[in-house]
Amino acid sequence: MRARTAPLSLQAFTDHEHLWVSYRGASHSAIDQQLALKGLQRRVRYVSSHFSALPLILTQMPALATVPDGLAAEWIPFGLVGSDVAVQSPDIPLSLLWHKRRDNDPALQWLLARLRELMVN
């Protein structure tokens, strides 16, 4: 992704409206918690349950969206630019759930092994 010429300041981060992805309809995130510790908050203008909705919206309105690095790199064709997040965000825990009847499923065991390899390395 094209980088900004200078990192986005905390002031600029809170001055702009934000687009946000929430799978569970939550009203705040770890970023909002970190901002609150500094006595700040961001203004969320739009919430989507899918990251895929954001690039087109971002090309149409002046807003920010905080997304994973790997995903942001895919948005280059939309002419979007990136910057480091102006506030520290804790690591996001990953949880996997499956029905206990699938514990011995060879396909599931293969997938779990690949995921473990990726997470350890």
Side-chain angles (χ1 to χ4, degrees):
M1 175 168 251
R2 289 190 328 234
R4 294 178 53 89
T5 55
L8 189 64
S9 71
L10 186 56
Q11 182 69 44
F13 187 79
T14 56
D15 283 350
H16 284 82
E17 293 182 315
H18 290 255
L19 308 181
W20 185 32
V21 173
S22 175
Y23 299 111
R24 297 180 182 160
S27 60
H28 66 282
S29 71
I31 289 175
D32 297 300
Q33 291 169 350
Q34 293 299 313
L35 288 171
L37 292 174
K38 298 174 186 275
L40 301 169
Q41 65 181 19
R42 64 180 172 165
R43 295 170 306 170
V44 176
R45 180 168 181 186
Y46 177 78
V47 179
S48 173
S49 59
H50 302 283
F51 282 107
S52 61
L54 301 187
L56 186 58
I57 297 170
L58 287 168
T59 64
Q60 303 297 313
M61 65 184 295
L64 302 175
T66 304
V67 301
D69 284 336
L71 182 59
E74 298 295 321
W75 293 0
I76 293 170
F78 291 93
L80 301 173
V81 296
S83 175
D84 288 337
V85 177
V87 63
Q88 291 296 319
S89 177
D91 290 338
I92 299 170
L94 176 64
S95 299
L96 299 173
L97 302 171
W98 61 88
H99 195 281
K100 64 183 177 181
R101 287 186 299 203
R102 300 286 185 221
D103 281 345
N104 296 318
D105 184 320
L108 177 61
Q109 293 304 315
W110 175 87
L111 177 61
L112 292 172
R114 298 299 79 73
L115 290 172
R116 284 185 188 109
E117 287 173 14
L118 291 170
M119 288 187 270
V120 172
N121 295 329

